[in-house]
Structure formats: C-alpha cells, structure tokens
Amino acid sequence: MYCTRGTIRNFSRQPILILPIIVLFSIHRRYDVIVVGGGHAGTEAAAAAARVGAETLLVTQKIDTIGALSCNPSLGGVGKGQLVREVDALDGLCGRAGDRAGIHFSVLNRSKGPAVWGPRAQLDRQRYRDFIQAELLATPRLEVMEGSVEELLVEEERPGRHRVTGIRLAGHAPPLEASSVILTTGTFLSGFLFLGQTSSPGGRIGDPPSSSGLSRTLKETLGLQVGRLRTGTPPRILKDSVDLTLATLHPPDQHPTPFSFLNTHTHCKPEEQLPCYLVRTTPGVDRVVMESLDDNSHIQEDTKGPRYCPSIESRVLRFPGRSHQVWLEPEGMTSNLLYPQGLSMTMPPDMQLRLLRQIPALHRVEISTPGYGVQYDYVCPTQLCPSLQVKTTQGLFLAGQINGTTGYEEAAAQGLWAGVNAARSALAAPLLALSRTESYIGVLIDDLVTRGVTEPYRMFTSRAEFRTLLRPDNADLRLTLKGFEEVGCVSAQRYNEAVRVKEGLEEAFSTLGSLSRSPRDWRKTLETSSISQNKGGTLTATELLQYNDITYDDLAAALPESLAPFLEFSQRLKIEAVYRPHCELQKKEIQRIEREEGMYLSPDLDYLSLPVSLSNEVREILDRVRPTTLGAATRLPGMTPAAIVHLLNFVTQKNNNQKKIIHNQHSRAHKKPSGPEPSEGGERAGAVS
C-alpha cells in the first residue's frame, strides 16, 4: 500500500514523461472523498472531486493500470461522442486524453444532421494511459494509493438508513475515514472470467480479483438490490499475420476533429493517422461457433450481456447465416496488435484461432491474447438519487458499470458527476442534478435512476428528446459556464474561454441579424441560385445560413468587413442557425419538464397509503423507485396518464398548503402590535416576543 503524488502537467504536443514520483505510506487517515477504482469512472470522479475542493484519495489495485483501455482502444461515437464533449465541457479528462492519444479520427453520421454527429477516435493505448496518469498525479488535493478494498465502513443512523464513514483495505492496514466514498468497481465487483469451460475470479485478465467484502456490504449490510451482468472482449491479433490486401481500407478524416474545446488541433498530425480495415464473417465462422457451444460455458449462462456489442456467438445464434462486419482497428502508433471489433468471444483458445482463420484476410492470423468473458455484480440504479448517491446511505456514491452501464464514455460521465456531488456532500454543499433537457449526462443518469436496467446500458442520440439542442458543438455553452458558476468543477482558464466564445457568437449573430436584404440582392451578392426568385420580402444573413448550400465562409467572403472577424466560429454559426428554429419550438416542452422537475417528492412519502386515487401497481412502482421529482415519476415504466394527473394534483395541493402556512406565519410575524408608538430612539411598548 502506498500513495503517490506527482508534480507534472503537460498541455503541449511534446511527449509526456512520467517523472519520478514520491512513494509514501498513507499521508492522511481521513479524507473528504475516497474513490475506489482507477478506470474511466474512477479517474474522472477523483479529478472532479479534487477540482471542487475536496481532499481526495483514489484507491486502485495497480497504479500502472490507471487509465487503461480494458477493451476497445477507442473513444466516442454516436451518442458517446456527445458524452465525451460534455465531460470535457465540465473540465473532465477523457476529451483531452483522446486528443493526445488519438491515431485515427472520424466523425460518424456525417450524412445526417450535425445534432447526431458522433466524434470518434482510435487511440494509442499507452499514450492514453500516460496522459491520464500524468493529469492525476499533477492534480492538487488528490492522492493515489495502491491497495485492495476489503470492506466499506458504514454506520446505521436509523433502521434502513446508513452513513458511510470510510473503507478498510485488505491486510492489516488501519481503516481510512472519509465523508464520501465513490465506488467505481467496473467489472471487478464479484467478477469472474470465463474462457471455454474454465472460470476464475477476476475483472480483467492479468489483474488480481477484488475482495468479496464490498459485495457483501452492499447486499447484506445496506440491503441493496444487486444483479448480475456479463460482457466480453475479442482476441488481440498480430498485425503482421493479417493479409490486409484482402480487407477494405477505411481511412480517417483528413481534418481531425478534436474532442476538447480547449484544443484547436489533435496531437497526431493528419498525415500521420493510421487506417482501419473492414472484413466480414463467412459461413465457416457460423460452423465453428456451433461446434464450440458445448465447450463454452459463458454463452450458456442466462446472465444478460450487451445488446449493442454482442459476442460473435450471440450474433450467430440470433442471426444464423448472416454475414457480420468486423473492424480491424490499430491498438497504437507503433503496436503490432489489431483489435477485431465485432469478434468478442469466449470459446476455448484453439477454437478462437479456428474461427478467425475462416475469414479470408485472417487465414494465417496469429493470436496474441485470447478473448474472454466477464460476469460481475451491479447495483440496480433505481436505488440512486440523480446525484448518484445511494438513497439509503448518506455519502455513498456509485458510478460506471456498477450502475449497469457499458462503455468508457458512460462511465466517465457518471464518474465526473459522482465526483462533483461526493465533494459537495463532504463540503456541506447541496447536491446537484443535471436535467435531461440540458445534457446527455442528464439523460444518462435520469434513465438509470428512473427506469433501471435489464441489460448493459449504452447511450444513443435517440435516447435524448431534445437532441437538436444537445449537440456536440455547443456542450461548452450548455455546461462550462454552469460548471464554473454553480458546480465549481471548471477552471478559470476554461471558463474565460467559454465566455469569450459565447460573447463572440452573440456578437456574430447580432451582426448576421442586422444584415437584411431582398432575395434578389442576396442572389447578386452571393452569386447563388439556391434562393428562389419567387421569394419576396427580406432575408437576414442568419436566415440565409439555413440554406444547405450557403456557408458562413460564403457570407464572409461577400461581406468581409462585417463577418470576417467571426470566421473562427464559422461552423458553429452555421449549425446554430440551422437548428435555432427547431430549438425555439422545443422551448415550451422544455419549460413543462422543468416545471415538473421543480415539483419535489419527499423521500419519506408513504405511497402505499397516500390519499390519492392510484392503482396498487402504480403505488408499488412509486414505493420501489421513490422518484425525487414529479418529472422523474412521469418517466417511470408503468405510470399511467391518470396516475400522473392525480400525483400532480396531490403535489400542487401540498405545495399550495405549504405556501399558505408560510404566508400566515409571515403575516403574523409582521403584524403591528397594539399600544402607543415608541418615542424616537426608545423601545417599542408592548413588543411581541
């Protein structure tokens, strides 16, 4: 067990060197926040808690695996890219790490509107891990300790209600005290690895298993509902054993798009990026899968796996005879390994090699590391508040796969928000929630805490009702200012940049709105035929940007004196102009949701005996989930329109009664007492005590 503190921070394009670190025994015995786990959720949680101002400790089994990409060496994608941009807007780590480590950048869904574009990058595993570790070691108020957590320490405040007090490490180390603890255990919570017919305790190959004490505390002491999920990873294959001439080349974007709002370019130069390759499965793959079923215990389990990233065994069983895509993705700039995305498998290693060689480009392939499956415990997330604190345990926060999600991006988003609230709880500040009307992070957390999961949860743009507003291009305007002014997790540097951008965009739109001409004059100015000759009246430059073939650069070239100063915002101005009418139409619905989110439901409401006309089924749903607001109650599966109306009436009546009581108390307090007026400088006669 030891702690580390670093003294480095690197924002340049120069290689990051991990300087010698100070190795110490535990520096403190009491912390504001302790984070358990060093994956994407844990690193974001620890960094966010420290940024908010909490003395923070990150405990991980192996310091050198902090920031490791356990599965796919990639970041972002459709829905996931939005999460990365929002984490970055709140000063998180993964966006800047992606810009540093990316070796193949692309924006998915380019054929559709910018609201659903998905920024994505293939990553160099070592570069990503080095960046995350350097950032953590340079973060003030953050210490990192290597050790295995044996037990979560809690105190019972009253029956069914607990308060976290710290953790106990394996061995004979004394307990570590904390006001808040964040569990980000990933797949290590009672994790088991599966390969063929064999299984062994663990959450990732090559790492030791976690202690069973945490699961026991959650289930037995805290009485939390815990379920079981599974996932898997494909074998890693040697690049020089693959015949890439038989694969379809997929080059990266010529102009890489950074994840971070602080970066104008990526570390990897455009011409240095590596390509990916596409191959497809054959009937031989199906045959090997069917022959291996009796030797594959993982696929025979009833435990739910990821719907949107299934194993090749699940694909073949569900869609027999179909050819499936397999992407061959580089694992690093100098790595000789390829990651065959789409070929997650848990059959015996010899069968894995047979299966791979059924694909023409892989007919001579060699395996570096076989694929394997993992089964692990998760906590039903309906037992959490929107702050990600466990409802029945003060100071205990959960983030990442322990909440039933899958993916680095979902874990990072939860980790950041759990870190923010754990720090605020420890510092006696009110806990905060993000609305689904203002962020994908809000959508993610709201889905988890109101609906729960039956399979690993993955983010998609289709889950967000207001995706035309929650775009990847405007995450800084939606969240950075709030992150600095209200949350306290954003640096002054990032805040000042966001303010500059906000003011620049406002000035640009003011200028665009002031440029008004007839359609005929605009056709002459821009030399375009896209504006109808039959169109009358006048058009502003903002309205012109809503035409598909008119860009801001076109307008700036025609009117350089007015518009050239804002060329750095050209793409953002175009996108904002296109979506502005749609966003205006959605404002009324957003206001309705915000009103409902403002109607709080007491955590102590007895729904089973509430004097409201509700069915027994609805009462049981409300009693089990215990939503914190009326808005959250409306999104619960099984809630009927009639039940929502009755609950709305109850909350409204209760709020009105409370307002009357407060008004009456206020009136009595200010009622003038009878008796003579006091003389100047004297005391009032007959003053009411």
Side-chain angles (χ1 to χ4, degrees), residues 53-367:
E55 292 294 334
T56 305
L57 173 68
L58 172 63
V59 181
T60 181
Q61 294 198 93
K62 293 171 66 176
I63 285 180
D64 62 358
T65 61
I66 289 176
L69 299 163
S70 300
C71 197
N72 192 2
S74 70
L75 190 71
V78 178
K80 290 172 173 283
Q82 279 83 341
L83 287 173
V84 175
R85 297 279 275 180
E86 291 183 357
V87 168
D88 179 74
L90 290 168
D91 232 354
L93 307 177
C94 63
R96 289 180 291 120
D99 292 343
R100 164 68 195 176
I103 55 177
H104 175 116
F105 290 85
S106 59
V107 176
L108 308 184
N109 258 4
R110 280 275 195 188
S111 61
K112 299 182 180 179
V116 294
W117 286 355
R120 186 181 187 275
Q122 288 299 131
L123 306 174
D124 183 299
R125 289 185 187 274
Q126 190 60 47
R127 286 183 183 177
Y128 190 90
R129 183 165 58 184
D130 288 349
F131 184 94
I132 293 292
Q133 291 182 9
E135 284 293 304
L136 291 182
L137 294 175
T139 300
R141 294 181 295 276
L142 174 60
E143 297 172 14
V144 180
M145 175 181 290
E146 192 170 87
S148 179
V149 177
E150 176 72 31
E151 184 182 2
L152 182 67
L153 303 179
V154 296
E155 291 180 354
E156 187 174 37
E157 295 188 321
R158 65 179 191 269
R161 298 282 177 173
H162 295 82
R163 179 174 61 86
V164 72
T165 61
I167 61 171
R168 189 186 305 279
L169 299 177
H172 301 289
L176 297 171
E177 298 179 352
S179 300
S180 299
V181 173
I182 309 173
L183 298 184
T184 65
T185 51
T187 58
F188 283 84
L189 192 64
S190 296
F192 259 79
L193 305 178
F194 289 82
L195 181 58
Q197 289 281 22
T198 64
S199 64
S200 59
R204 179 172 55 205
I205 197 167
D207 286 348
S210 64
S211 166
S212 60
L214 274 181
S215 281
R216 187 166 57 250
T217 303
L218 296 175
K219 296 176 188 176
E220 299 176 8
T221 305
L222 302 182
L224 296 179
Q225 180 184 347
V226 175
R228 198 85 173 147
L229 292 174
R230 71 179 181 189
T231 187
T233 190
R236 310 310 195 260
I237 59 178
L238 299 178
K239 183 178 181 179
D240 55 16
S241 69
V242 178
D243 187 352
L244 294 176
T245 63
L246 300 178
T248 303
L249 177 74
H250 275 258
D253 289 350
Q254 292 184 354
H255 303 287
T257 301
F259 286 111
S260 177
F261 289 98
L262 294 182
N263 292 332
T264 57
H265 56 266
T266 61
H267 173 76
C268 184
K269 296 178 181 178
E271 65 274 14
E272 295 174 347
Q273 296 183 91
L274 300 180
C276 294
Y277 299 87
L278 177 65
V279 297
R280 303 192 72 92
T281 62
T282 64
V285 169
D286 290 35
R287 185 172 59 253
V288 174
V289 167
M290 300 307 295
E291 291 174 0
S292 69
L293 290 180
D294 290 339
D295 295 323
N296 192 339
S297 61
H298 186 65
I299 198 65
Q300 298 170 14
E301 297 279 345
D302 293 331
T303 307
K304 283 282 189 177
R307 176 193 298 263
Y308 304 104
C309 185
S311 66
I312 188 61
E313 295 99 330
S314 297
R315 285 179 164 190
V316 168
L317 292 174
R318 189 174 180 186
F319 305 107
R322 183 179 297 185
S323 178
H324 302 282
Q325 288 186 343
V326 177
W327 291 96
L328 304 180
E329 300 170 338
E331 295 225 340
M333 189 61 75
T334 59
S335 173
N336 189 39
L337 297 180
L338 291 175
Y339 180 97
Q341 181 180 284
L343 286 181
S344 171
M345 61 182 78
T346 57
M347 62 185 67
D350 60 324
M351 300 296 285
Q352 293 189 27
L353 185 62
R354 275 187 57 198
L355 183 147
L356 290 169
R357 291 183 173 179
Q358 302 302 313
I359 298 172
L362 309 181
H363 65 285
R364 293 180 179 173
V365 75
E366 295 294 339
I367 293 176

